[in-house]
Amino acid sequence: MKGLIIINAYPNGEKFFRQAERIAEELCALGIETDVLRNGEVYAGVNEDGSIYAKLPKKYGFAIYLDKDKYLGKMLERSGLRLFNCATAVELCDDKMLTALALDNAGVKLAESIPAPLCYTPQAKADEQFLLNVAKKLGFPLVVKKSYGSFGAGVQLVHGMPELIQTANEFLYSPHFYQRYVAEAAGRDIRVIVIGGKAVAAMERVAKDGEFRSNIELGGKGKNAPLTAEIAEVAERAAKALKLDYCGVDLLQSKEGLIVCEVNSNAFFEGFEAATGVNVAKLYAKYVLSAIESPCKDGKKY
Ligand SMILES: Nc1ncnc2c1ncn2[C@@H]1O[C@H](COP(=O)(O)OP(=O)(O)O)[C@@H](O)[C@H]1O
Ligand SMILES: [Mg+2]
């Protein structure tokens, strides 16, 4: 059996290649050869009769999907290929507000979040009455987040009505939402990697001075953190509810307990491996093989 790893057509830096290479290396050590293809090197689309095609250069037993492109993922699945993660899970995680909606009844706490009404009208202005209601409900400071975004970009803390109105207008044509600020967690979060439903390690990230976002890309520092039973349970619940084979769950420690901040279907593991000493790529490769060898009835592990 051969495996396939798919990366985005426009990789933004070396770490995208390294992530693919590390997984390929660990699969190779387990006797599985893989090819790495970019989205765009796979010919896929919809025929005139409405049928879907996805033409791959060879026959593959599975694909590790490191892209977030929901279209190609769905077409590959339609062609019968098992994706790690499945296309729907990637789609849900790519949109932070959809993630929150999908975690309904998952038995995890979230920070209260109110989506901004989507705007399709040119030259519109943000609805100030709506924003007043948001401010009344969430209080200041509050967090404004673009639904699509990574590395802390598109996440802002706003302190009063003028700033809220200004940010709402700047974000008007990007899906975004307003979130309660978890002040106790300011500048800190816990990243947990979950593979095949099992939390494997935890890393605490601490933001640089004066920054409330703990993203490494914004100067945050990661260090190994104890993987307590509570941390593992919350992260595993989130991963399971979203049917993820692999993910990084970000948790905020609040007065009321752990809050799921974000679930990353495509979490980079290089920094996490360095901080925790856990070989994430190896555990993921092992899991992929076990899931392929003994799938559940529907071909999925869950
Ligand atoms: N509601 C919140 N309260 C306090 N800190 C937050 C909140 N939401 C996000 N953060 C901080 O901002 C960081 C980035 O937010 P996140 O939603 O994970 O966006 P991204 O996808 O860009 O990483 C988090 O890791 C956390 O440190
Ligand atoms: Mg994050």
Side-chain angles (χ1 to χ4, degrees):
M1 177 179 49
K2 253 190 118 93
L4 178 62
I5 298 177
I6 296 198
I7 61 171
N8 187 253
Y10 310 100
N12 185 13
E14 274 304 307
K15 65 178 178 180
F16 285 82
F17 295 103
R18 282 203 301 275
Q19 183 97 345
E21 276 162 17
R22 281 283 295 115
I23 297 171
E25 197 175 280
E26 296 295 346
L27 279 166
C28 183
L30 297 172
I32 302 292
E33 290 295 319
T34 47
D35 290 334
V36 178
L37 286 182
R38 287 188 193 199
N39 181 349
E41 291 179 306
V42 178
Y43 296 97
V46 181
N47 288 308
E48 278 178 8
D49 65 359
S51 59
I52 295 169
Y53 65 90
K55 289 199 181 84
L56 292 165
K58 289 176 204 151
K59 194 164 166 40
Y60 295 102
F62 63 88
I64 298 187
Y65 200 68
L66 301 183
D67 198 356
K68 285 193 190 177
D69 187 318
K70 58 191 168 193
Y71 305 127
L72 179 62
K74 284 179 195 284
M75 292 187 286
L76 287 170
E77 282 180 344
R78 192 68 190 83
S79 78
L81 196 62
R82 164 71 156 100
L83 295 196
F84 295 86
N85 293 303
C86 71
T88 305
V90 173
E91 185 179 8
L92 290 176
C93 290
D94 194 26
D95 178 334
K96 294 179 175 51
M97 191 64 220
L98 269 188
T99 312
L101 295 173
L103 287 173
D104 175 37
N105 278 324
V108 298
K109 289 193 178 72
L110 301 173
E112 188 176 349
S113 300
I114 305 171
L118 295 176
C119 177
Y120 307 102
T121 305
Q123 273 124 42
K125 284 266 167 288
D127 178 344
E128 294 191 15
Q129 186 54 51
F130 170 79
L131 295 173
L132 273 171
N133 293 341
V134 166
K136 214 191 271 172
K137 192 92 178 32
L138 303 180
F140 287 114
L142 59 83
V143 179
V144 188
K145 281 190 196 184
K146 287 191 179 168
S147 300
Y148 301 92
S150 315
F151 313 136
V155 178
Q156 287 186 24
L157 197 59
V158 305
H159 299 85
M161 269 322 280
E163 201 184 348
L164 180 59
I165 294 168
Q166 190 191 332
T167 311
N169 280 308
E170 278 166 22
F171 285 11
L172 193 58
Y173 298 101
S174 306
H176 63 280
F177 58 100
Y178 305 94
Q179 190 170 77
R180 190 179 293 283
Y181 178 52
V182 184
E184 315 90 273
R188 280 170 192 273
D189 73 355
I190 304 161
R191 159 65 58 93
V192 188
I193 286 192
V194 182
I195 301 173
K198 250 202 116 22
V200 301
M203 169 174 86
E204 189 188 27
R205 296 186 299 191
V206 182
K208 68 175 183 197
D209 280 352
E211 174 60 69
F212 83 103
R213 298 163 298 179
S214 56
N215 303 70
I216 306 287
E217 295 78 8
L218 297 175
K221 292 267 176 292
K223 64 173 197 310
N224 189 34
L227 179 63
T228 64
E230 189 197 1
I231 289 174
E233 188 181 338
V234 174
E236 287 170 8
R237 279 188 185 175
K240 196 165 182 180
L242 296 163
K243 297 189 167 53
L244 287 154
D245 297 296
Y246 167 89
C247 64
V249 183
D250 294 346
L251 303 172
L252 301 174
Q253 183 70 64
S254 81
K255 280 181 282 197
E256 287 85 35
L258 292 166
I259 288 179
V260 175
C261 174
E262 199 203 0
V263 184
N264 299 275
S265 59
N266 297 41
F268 287 101
F269 52 68
E270 191 176 37
F272 187 91
E273 287 187 332
T276 62
V278 170
N279 186 336
V280 173
K282 185 174 185 172
L283 293 176
Y284 193 18
K286 278 188 171 171
Y287 163 72
V288 167
L289 290 194
S290 75
I292 287 292
E293 279 158 16
S294 56
C296 296
K297 273 196 253 57
D298 61 357
K300 304 258 164 61
K301 195 74 180 168
Y302 293 114

